Amino acid sequence: MTISATLIARLSNAQSVCVLTGAGVSAESGVPTFRGADGLWSKFKPEELANFNAFIRNPALVWEWYSYRKKVIKEVQPNPAHYALVELEQRIPNFTLVTQNVDGLHRRAGSKHILELHGNIERSYCIDCSAFANDIVLDESKEPPHCKHCGGLLRPDVVWFGEMLPEGVFEQALGAARRCDVFLCLGTSAVVYPAASLPLEALEQGAYVVEINQEYTDLSSRVQEAMLGKVGIILPQLIQALQHQ
Ligand code: BV8
Ligand code: ZN
């Protein structure tokens, strides 16, 4: 895949860059995506799992699903896409990394300014007293653990469908999308809102918007460049091209 001279020029001169990542950025680490062929949703239905009512109806099923995902995440490492974003952050004066991923891999790779729109699977909190519980032993327990302060059910600190995004986080992401010179949309099917509105906001204000994804999405026909391919291959090539500037 050749990187366009326009993109290299835009990134070399950019004062402000905003990046939105989705499950496709963690795919090459071995973390299953949601909507791909072997995605998580092919086995489960989102409405059955990623929403509060599903949790109350069947806490064990939802907790088991998150325990499985936490186990996978514990065993994987960041991949070249994560590391390329760490490099990019060091080259751009104002760099904002907005992620829909809850796997914490951007932080493990060394990214600094991360906005986690959908929370983080490594944290849990009590549905009754909201006390956080980070030291959840990763046992194969089927039943969700209970809060040691009040005995309430613990839930993963992720944003479920129908739930508000963390206070202020989306607003910061919106600000970054509205002032960036270049917006990179990486490894996301761009179907979940309000995250998927960020590239549209960037387009609206005249940013140079580039999508890197393994398949075309609703965004592909609207962005300046839609690059088809593995983000773990293309992003390091982009960094290399910038270094030869
Ligand atoms: C909200 C939980 C306000 C955490 C998730 C009708 C129309 C529009 C919107 C709505 C609607 N009805 C309801 C809504 C709102 C709803 C929504 O957007 N629904 C959509 C699905 C229709 N949104 C919400 O409910 C949000 N909250 O709106 O609050 C509000 C409040 C109260 C009342 C009303 C409104 C909350 C959204 C958060 C939902 N939580 N998950 C978890 O368990 O992880 S969403 C879930 O999808 C994940 O969080 C994930 O982050 C997110 C997005 O998925 P992607 O990251 O894009 O992953 P996906 O598999 O889809 O795509 C991966 C892509 O990568 C693929 O295209 C693949 O080809 C590509 N790829 C794979 N490998 C590679 C690759 N590309 C490059 N290289 C590779 N190697
Ligand atoms: Zn409690």
Side-chain angles (χ1 to χ4, degrees):
M1 167 71 67
T2 45
I3 309 292
S4 79
T6 314
L7 176 54
I8 296 168
R10 290 279 183 150
L11 275 175
S12 311
N13 303 320
Q15 282 307 306
S16 163
V17 169
C18 184
V19 178
L20 173 68
T21 63
V25 167
S26 295
E28 290 161 73
S29 294
V31 181
T33 62
F34 292 89
R35 296 169 183 83
D38 56 348
L40 289 163
W41 292 156
S42 58
K43 300 181 196 68
F44 310 95
K45 291 280 155 286
E47 48 283 355
E48 279 166 16
L49 286 164
N51 76 53
F52 186 71
N53 298 330
F55 178 67
I56 294 301
R57 226 186 3 257
N58 191 339
L61 174 71
V62 176
W63 188 260
E64 197 185 333
W65 185 55
Y66 280 93
S67 292
Y68 154 69
R69 289 174 61 196
K70 276 195 272 197
K71 199 163 150 296
V72 167
I73 288 162
K74 274 246 176 309
E75 285 152 10
V76 302
Q77 298 302 326
N79 70 62
H82 294 108
Y83 291 115
L85 287 169
V86 177
E87 293 259 326
L88 193 59
E89 180 169 23
Q90 288 155 2
R91 306 176 68 91
I92 305 286
N94 298 304
F95 185 88
T96 304
L97 175 56
V98 184
T99 189
Q100 300 171 88
N101 300 339
V102 296
D103 57 31
L105 286 176
H106 284 303
R107 192 179 319 286
R108 277 174 54 192
S111 289
K112 297 278 174 283
H113 186 190
I114 307 166
L115 296 175
E116 292 181 317
L117 291 183
H118 295 162
N120 189 308
I121 201 169
E122 291 150 334
R123 287 190 307 266
S124 301
Y125 67 89
C126 171
I127 63 170
D128 291 335
C129 74
S130 305
F132 273 98
N134 279 342
D135 53 358
I136 302 277
V137 176
L138 240 197
D139 55 10
E140 291 302 312
S141 64
K142 295 272 180 279
E143 284 302 312
H146 286 260
C147 170
K148 57 178 181 256
H149 306 288
C150 78
L153 267 182
L154 292 183
R155 60 163 282 176
D157 183 18
V158 298
V159 179
W160 280 331
F161 287 105
E163 292 185 330
M164 299 305 280
L165 276 56
E167 187 64 33
V169 175
F170 182 68
E171 289 67 22
Q172 287 178 66
L174 199 51
R178 285 180 172 159
R179 67 170 172 271
C180 68
D181 304 308
V182 176
F183 188 101
L184 303 180
C185 200
L186 311 174
T188 179
S189 57
V191 296
V192 174
Y193 283 79
S197 63
L198 294 171
L200 304 178
E201 291 283 342
L203 277 170
E204 191 80 14
Q205 56 87 350
Y208 193 76
V209 183
V210 176
E211 177 187 52
I212 304 178
N213 206 54
Q214 241 177 341
E215 62 190 1
Y216 285 120
T217 68
D218 289 351
L219 261 185
S220 305
S221 58
R222 307 174 63 170
V223 296
Q224 275 73 28
E225 291 189 38
M227 300 168 79
L228 267 193
K230 284 187 177 296
V231 68
I233 308 270
I234 297 174
L235 270 189
Q237 289 171 342
L238 175 56
I239 298 298
Q240 208 153 40
L242 281 176
Q243 280 160 350
H244 292 128
Q245 262 304 302

